[in-house]
């Protein structure tokens, strides 16, 4: 795509997205997770298009997008010891031909066939020597539709950061826009291991004044010993809860773990979720979690293995307005998922209170606080620690989506189904609302959830009983739909 002559100097700038030259400590922890295949941090997005996009335009859109967001041209350069925070550097061998692929779906072309293929792609490790992402266009879907599957490493960004990036890289019109900004291709960067070590040492030196300041604050706090002790005790009691050391035991039904991922896709009108939240005097996120937990309740009953609670983790965004749009700015909240509560209204309220408490834990941001120290741990040691604190039966994320029509190379994006990784958990559920439709992507461990068809039926039943809270004489109950 050629530059537009009307663009003025200063307009052709890349997005202010994922511009940090090196990883944050939290990004680093996610990157090092690949030391253990069970902790692999691949995030995925499946978009359903109303027609086949123009291939040449799609290639050009990716070439343009990799200039607008240069992170997609950058590879990870780590220290020779695999410790400290790695750097990002423009790959001198960047080859779009490798990253973007065109596939004609085999079999019956159904959604199940598509999801099975995406599972297999998601389970395949990314090439750590290249920019950590791959894109696949799937043609041959029924009714002339197409799909696009984006696979990337979680170290690139969290869910909210991904949506911020996609919203700026997708087009608001079906037609080609020749007046888009056209930043130049970023220059390749060669970073040596010595450069990495020098930068890491400099960072540690810069942290010394901050650590001295914390020490002085601690000394000054001794002037008010009762207040200091109270604060320390509150924080100390909070740490085990945030670290998952006092979570309920995992369900024996979901105890097994493997490296096998299984995808499921569901959708529901966002208005129905919102109406249920209003009826329950709670948030959409509370209703979403209650629907998931309801699915687990039905599944355990059908499998003759009832439990009262399961360990659940939810991401809590700590992203501030001044933070860069890319990278990971999340903390972890812990819940005791009330599987034993049959009444959907009571379940929603119980979850509402647990979420409120989790968000206000004094130690909620402990992993970001300790990240600069944890990033220096070798990957094998770090994964032992992470594995001990991430044995959740469910991790659930709810990310605001794009509330307007979006297009890619002439094709309209009808749905966006997100799929997160399985860092030691039995199931990862992620929901994105795209233009009025809540799209739910479920990634479950095939060894933990052994009956996928039964689970899908139970999830629909669990959601529908929560959605029914909004039903009255003027409004029929909402329905969760499995996309097959």
């Amino acid at each position: 795509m050629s530059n537009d002559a009307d663009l003025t100097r200063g307009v052709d700038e890349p997005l202010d997205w994922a511009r940090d030259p090196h990883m944050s400590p939290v990004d680093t922890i996610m990157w090092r997770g690949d030391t253990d295949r069970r902790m692999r941090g691949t995030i995925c997005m499946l978009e359903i298009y109303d027609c086949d996009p123009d291939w040449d335009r799609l290639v050009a859109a990716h070439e343009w997008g990799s200039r607008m967001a240069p992170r997609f041209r950058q590879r990870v350069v780590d220290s020779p010891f695999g410790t400290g925070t790695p750097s990002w550097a423009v790959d001198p061998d960047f080859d779009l031909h490798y990253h973007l692929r065109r596939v004609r779906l085999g079999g019956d072309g159904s959604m199940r066939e598509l999801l099975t293929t995406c599972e297999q792609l998601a389970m395949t490790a990314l090439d750590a020597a290249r920019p950590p992402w791959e894109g696949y266009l799937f043609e041959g879907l029924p009714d002339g539709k197409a799909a696009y599957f984006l696979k990337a490493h979680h170290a690139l960004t969290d869910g909210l950061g991904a949506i911020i990036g996609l919203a700026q890289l997708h087009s608001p019109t079906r037609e080609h826009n020749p007046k888009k900004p056209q930043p130049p291709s970023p220059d390749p960067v060669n970073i040596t291991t010595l450069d990495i070590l020098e930068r890491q040492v400099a960072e540690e030196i810069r942290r010394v004044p901050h650590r001295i300041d914390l020490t002085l604050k601690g000394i000054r706090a001794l002037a008010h010993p009762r207040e200091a002790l109270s604060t320390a005790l509150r924080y100390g009691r909070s740490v085990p809860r945030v670290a998952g050391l006092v979570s309920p035991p995992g369900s024996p039904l979901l105890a097994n773990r493997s490296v096998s991922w299984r995808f499921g896709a569901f959708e529901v009108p966002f208005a129905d979720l919102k109406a249920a939240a209003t009826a329950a005097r709670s948030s959409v996120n509370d209703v979403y979690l209650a629907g998931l937990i309801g699915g687990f309740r039905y599944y355990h009953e059908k499998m003759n293995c009832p439990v009262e609670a399961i360990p659940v983790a939810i991401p809590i965004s700590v992203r501030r307005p001044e933070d860069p749009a890319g990278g990971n700015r999340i903390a972890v909240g812990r819940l005791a998922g009330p599987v034993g509560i049959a009444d959907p209204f009571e379940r929603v309220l119980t979850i509402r209170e647990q979420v409120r408490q989790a968000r206000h834990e004094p130690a909620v941001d402990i992993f970001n606080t300790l990240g600069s120290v944890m990033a220096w741990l070798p990957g094998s040691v770090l994964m032992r620690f992470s594995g001990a604190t991430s044995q959740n039966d469910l991790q659930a994320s709810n990310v605001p989506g794009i509330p307007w029509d979006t297009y890619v190379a002439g094709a309209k994006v009808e749905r966006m189904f997100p799929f997160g990784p399985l860092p030691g958990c039995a199931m990862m559920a992620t929901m994105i609302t795209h233009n009025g439709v809540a799209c739910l992507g479920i990634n479950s461990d095939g060894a933990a959830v052994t009956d996928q068809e039964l689970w899908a039926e139970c999830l629909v039943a669990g959601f529908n009983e929560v959605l029914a809270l909004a039903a009255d004489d003027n409004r029929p109950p909402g329905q969760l739909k499995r996309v097959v």
Side-chain angles (χ1 to χ4, degrees):
M1 299 173 71
S2 60
N3 291 340
D4 191 290
D6 294 333
L7 290 172
T8 59
R9 184 177 180 85
V11 174
D12 294 339
E13 296 291 335
L15 298 175
D16 186 17
W17 184 85
R19 301 285 291 273
D20 289 346
H22 51 81
M23 288 188 187
S24 73
V26 175
D27 300 340
T28 301
I29 292 169
M30 292 184 172
W31 179 253
R32 299 261 162 76
D34 284 10
T35 304
D36 183 340
R37 289 195 306 159
R38 296 170 191 256
M39 304 294 286
R40 188 168 287 159
T42 305
I43 58 174
C44 307
M45 177 73 78
L46 177 63
E47 298 184 336
I48 307 298
Y49 297 157
D50 69 342
C51 64
D52 287 339
D54 180 273
W55 175 250
D56 290 337
R57 282 183 62 185
L58 186 67
V59 173
H62 279 76
E63 195 278 332
W64 171 80
S66 69
R67 288 184 283 116
M68 288 296 291
R71 181 68 89 226
F72 289 104
R73 292 189 179 217
Q74 295 175 343
R75 63 189 177 96
V76 178
V77 184
D78 210 342
S79 76
F81 309 111
T83 57
T85 56
S87 290
W88 291 99
V90 174
D91 186 0
D93 299 315
F94 175 72
D95 181 10
L96 185 59
H97 179 71
Y98 171 84
H99 293 274
L100 182 59
R101 305 165 189 195
R102 191 178 191 181
V103 181
R104 180 158 292 273
L105 195 64
D108 58 5
S110 65
M111 187 68 174
R112 181 63 265 164
E113 188 77 31
L114 175 62
L115 290 173
T116 298
T117 304
C118 291
E119 291 166 356
Q120 295 163 346
L121 294 172
M123 287 186 286
T124 305
L126 291 155
D127 186 347
R130 297 177 183 265
W133 69 274
E134 297 167 4
Y136 297 81
L137 173 66
F138 289 98
E139 299 172 310
L141 273 62
D143 302 321
K145 295 187 178 183
Y148 175 79
F149 184 65
L150 178 63
K151 163 187 168 184
H153 202 284
H154 211 324
L156 275 170
T157 183
D158 56 26
L160 181 56
I163 290 299
I164 292 172
L166 288 175
Q168 297 178 88
L169 294 176
H170 281 34
S171 174
T173 63
R174 197 182 290 271
E175 295 74 26
H176 169 60
N177 175 18
K179 295 187 178 181
K180 294 187 297 186
Q182 297 292 342
S185 299
D187 293 328
V189 175
N190 287 303
I191 297 179
T192 67
T193 55
L194 181 60
D195 294 331
I196 298 288
L197 291 173
E198 288 179 348
R199 190 260 300 164
Q200 291 176 342
V201 170
E203 285 177 348
E204 291 304 305
I205 292 173
R206 284 196 298 270
R207 288 192 180 103
V208 169
H210 174 67
R211 288 168 179 163
I212 292 174
D213 184 55
L214 289 178
T215 302
L216 293 175
K217 286 181 179 178
I219 294 172
R220 286 195 292 270
L222 296 178
H224 306 280
R226 186 171 297 178
E227 181 180 343
L229 178 61
S230 176
T231 300
L233 288 175
R234 284 199 305 272
Y235 194 88
R237 287 192 294 265
S238 177
V239 168
R241 293 194 294 268
V242 171
L245 302 178
V246 293
S247 298
S251 164
L253 184 63
L254 308 172
N256 293 332
R257 298 290 186 271
S258 68
V259 292
S260 297
W261 291 9
R262 299 293 183 267
F263 287 174
F266 303 80
E267 63 182 48
V268 62
F270 182 69
D272 291 341
L273 278 175
K274 201 169 182 180
T278 300
R281 301 188 294 277
S282 299
S283 70
V284 167
N285 191 61
D286 298 331
V287 168
Y288 161 62
L289 291 170
L292 291 169
I293 298 299
F296 278 102
R297 184 176 73 83
Y298 278 113
Y299 186 71
H300 280 76
E301 288 180 354
K302 295 286 187 181
M303 298 290 279
N304 296 313
C305 184
V307 295
E308 287 301 310
I310 59 174
V312 177
I314 59 172
I316 296 174
S317 178
V318 292
R319 189 178 292 277
R320 298 167 298 183
E322 65 270 20
D323 285 334
N328 290 273
R329 301 293 188 276
I330 52 176
V332 179
R334 308 283 181 176
L335 312 179
V339 177
I341 298 179
D343 180 78
F345 183 75
E346 182 183 352
R347 192 185 321 133
V348 173
L349 295 186
T350 300
I351 289 171
R352 183 188 69 182
E353 292 309 305
Q354 288 195 31
V355 171
R356 181 192 61 78
Q357 181 177 344
R359 292 183 184 280
H360 292 90
E361 283 283 1
V364 68
D365 203 20
I366 186 173
F367 292 112
N368 289 279
T369 302
L370 296 180
S372 60
V373 176
M374 295 173 67
W376 282 95
L377 296 176
S380 57
V381 175
L382 185 59
M383 286 310 100
R384 284 200 192 110
F385 173 79
S386 298
T389 61
S390 63
Q391 292 297 314
N392 302 294
D393 285 342
L394 170 66
Q395 288 188 209
S397 177
N398 174 20
V399 182
I402 305 174
W404 57 81
D405 287 339
T406 57
Y407 300 85
V408 176
K412 182 179 180 180
V413 182
E414 293 187 334
R415 298 288 186 271
M416 300 175 71
F417 294 103
F419 298 96
L422 292 175
C425 58
M427 180 177 295
M428 173 73 76
T430 313
M431 186 172 74
I432 285 180
T433 303
H434 179 66
N435 206 12
V437 178
C439 302
L440 176 59
I442 299 289
N443 183 10
S444 57
D445 190 314
V449 182
T450 56
D451 193 330
Q452 293 288 320
E453 292 302 313
L454 177 61
W455 160 251
E457 295 173 6
C458 292
L459 180 62
V460 169
F463 256 87
N464 288 348
E465 68 180 7
V466 175
L467 293 170
L469 293 173
D472 55 32
D473 294 337
N474 299 317
R475 182 185 182 87
Q479 297 286 318
L480 181 75
K481 173 187 173 185
R482 184 186 183 190
V483 183
V484 293

